[in-house]
């Protein structure tokens, strides 16, 4: 599959790139269909916010041009793009300097979507609290790597992560929504966690279109255990209903709202 580095075909990066050395950069993972990216406006908004937060001066319009160039080269009608923007080459040490940002756009096949519903587990690993980095998708994913090392059971779709206070935040690759009574809730990500693009769409469009005003708040383990329905979401897999939590053992039904959201997202991708 093709890869572009600063707009040119390439398959290597310099070892002095600060993204490699320090995780000094951000990334987006986008699903495309027939050379279009249905959620591009949300990805673009988060990418701009992430770059500003890290102080990386990169023109988003140039990134958008890279994307269209790569999409013109792929030989499949659907798949996944990863956009990575690093601070560029470093001169040694943590000081950022004034290097030129490096843009990497790569494609890969759409992963198998075998999970009509999902089993999840609780991770022992806790997310550190760092409000300055909360919400953005920076390159340092070591917390997710360490959490994912906790299981090898292929029947477990993902692990749920809490912060140091015991508040639920997300899974290793998805955002979390629960239904409590008639209210849909998703965790507050102002202290840590990734504010996902599918989460943003659900808050702004998906759930309001079904008559719900979703609430962003701290969610405890007790609230999760007592939920009427649970689902995970991200911009590649869409909506994944959660039907079982392992240890403690809890089961949830796949409710009608979750099913409707799944249909809406599929229509969005295949419009």
């Amino acid at each position: 599959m093709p890869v572009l580095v600063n707009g040119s075909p390439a398959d290597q990066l310099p070892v002095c790139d600060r993204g490699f050395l320090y995780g000094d950069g951000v990334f987006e993972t986008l699903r495309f269909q027939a050379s279009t990216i249905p959620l591009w406006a949300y990805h673009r908004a988060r990418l701009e916010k992430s770059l500003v937060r890290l102080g990386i001066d990169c023109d988003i319009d140039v990134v958008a041009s890279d994307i269209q160039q790569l999409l013109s080269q792929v030989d499949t009608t659907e798949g996944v793009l990863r956009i990575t923007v690093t601070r560029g080459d470093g001169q040694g040490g943590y000081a950022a300097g004034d290097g030129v940002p490096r843009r990497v756009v790569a494609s890969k096949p759409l992963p198998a979507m075998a999970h009509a519903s999902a089993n999840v587990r609780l991770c022992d690993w806790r997310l550190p609290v760092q409000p300055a980095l909360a919400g953005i998708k920076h390159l340092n994913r070591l917390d997710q790597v360490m959490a994912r090392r906790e299981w090898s059971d292929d029947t477990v779709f993902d692990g749920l992560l809490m912060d140091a206070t015991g508040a639920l935040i997300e899974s290793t690759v998805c955002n979390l929504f629960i239904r409590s009574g008639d209210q849909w809730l998703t965790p507050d990500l102002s202290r840590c966690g990734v504010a996902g693009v599918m989460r943003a769409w659900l808050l702004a469009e998906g759930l309001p279109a079904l008559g719900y005003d979703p609430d962003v708040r701290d969610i405890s383990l007790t609230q999760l255990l007592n939920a009427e329905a649970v689902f995970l979401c991200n911009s590649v897999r869409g909506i994944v209903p959660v039907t079982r939590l392992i240890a403690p053992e809890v089961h949830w039904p796949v409710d009608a709202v979750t099913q409707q959201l799944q249909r809406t997202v599929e229509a969005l991708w295949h419009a």
Side-chain angles (χ1 to χ4, degrees):
M1 302 296 279
V3 179
L4 299 178
V5 178
N6 287 347
S8 299
D11 59 5
Q12 298 179 21
L13 293 176
V15 295
C16 58
D17 184 272
R18 290 180 61 87
F20 168 71
L21 292 175
Y22 308 119
D24 190 0
V26 298
F27 72 104
E28 293 284 327
T29 307
L30 311 83
R31 180 166 170 172
F32 68 87
Q33 180 74 31
S35 297
T36 64
I37 302 169
L39 294 173
W40 169 241
Y42 288 94
H43 283 287
R44 176 173 180 140
R46 185 175 63 179
L47 182 58
E48 288 181 310
K49 179 180 179 180
S50 300
L51 291 168
V52 169
R53 188 84 65 86
L54 294 188
I56 298 176
D57 185 13
C58 180
D59 189 339
I60 300 296
D61 289 334
V62 175
V63 175
S65 178
D66 291 342
I67 292 170
Q68 291 306 312
Q69 180 181 345
L70 191 75
L71 286 176
S72 71
Q73 299 176 17
V74 298
D75 57 2
T76 180
T77 58
E78 63 179 3
V80 178
L81 296 182
R82 173 169 165 141
I83 304 167
T84 305
V85 181
T86 77
R87 202 179 300 275
D89 295 345
Q91 303 303 315
Y94 292 139
D98 55 359
V100 177
R102 179 169 284 110
R103 312 178 314 274
V104 182
V105 182
S107 67
K108 63 180 180 180
L110 196 65
M113 303 294 178
H115 296 276
S117 62
N119 299 331
V120 298
R121 70 187 302 280
L122 291 173
C123 293
D124 293 327
W125 191 268
R126 298 295 181 98
L127 291 173
V129 171
Q130 176 45 278
L133 295 176
I136 69 173
K137 203 164 186 181
H138 54 78
L139 289 176
N140 191 324
R141 298 289 98 198
L142 191 55
D143 289 308
Q144 288 71 25
V145 169
M146 296 304 294
R148 185 60 184 83
R149 283 172 51 84
E150 293 181 15
W151 79 93
S152 58
D153 183 351
D154 290 340
T155 67
V156 176
F157 173 73
D158 207 356
L160 301 181
L161 288 160
M162 294 181 280
D163 67 12
T165 72
L168 284 158
I169 301 298
E170 58 193 4
S171 76
T172 69
V173 297
C174 293
N175 287 122
L176 171 70
F177 280 79
I178 73 169
R179 182 165 66 83
S180 179
D182 292 328
Q183 182 71 52
W184 283 96
L185 312 175
T186 192
D188 177 11
L189 303 180
S190 62
R191 299 186 302 274
C192 58
V194 175
V197 160
M198 184 58 67
R199 174 183 182 270
W201 179 85
L202 286 164
L203 291 173
E205 300 185 52
L207 282 165
L210 298 180
Y212 291 93
D213 182 17
D215 194 9
V216 177
R217 65 169 76 166
D218 282 343
I219 296 177
S220 68
L221 178 58
T222 298
Q223 286 175 297
L224 173 70
L225 299 181
N226 292 324
E228 277 77 31
V230 178
F231 68 78
L232 298 174
C233 64
N234 69 25
S235 61
V236 172
R237 294 186 177 275
I239 310 295
V240 181
V242 177
T243 53
R244 180 189 177 201
L245 174 67
I246 301 169
E249 185 81 13
V250 181
H251 295 262
W252 298 284
V254 180
D255 75 333
V257 174
T258 304
Q259 292 175 322
Q260 180 57 57
L261 288 171
Q262 287 181 296
R263 291 190 292 269
T264 301
V265 170
E266 284 300 316
L268 177 71
W269 278 330
H270 296 94

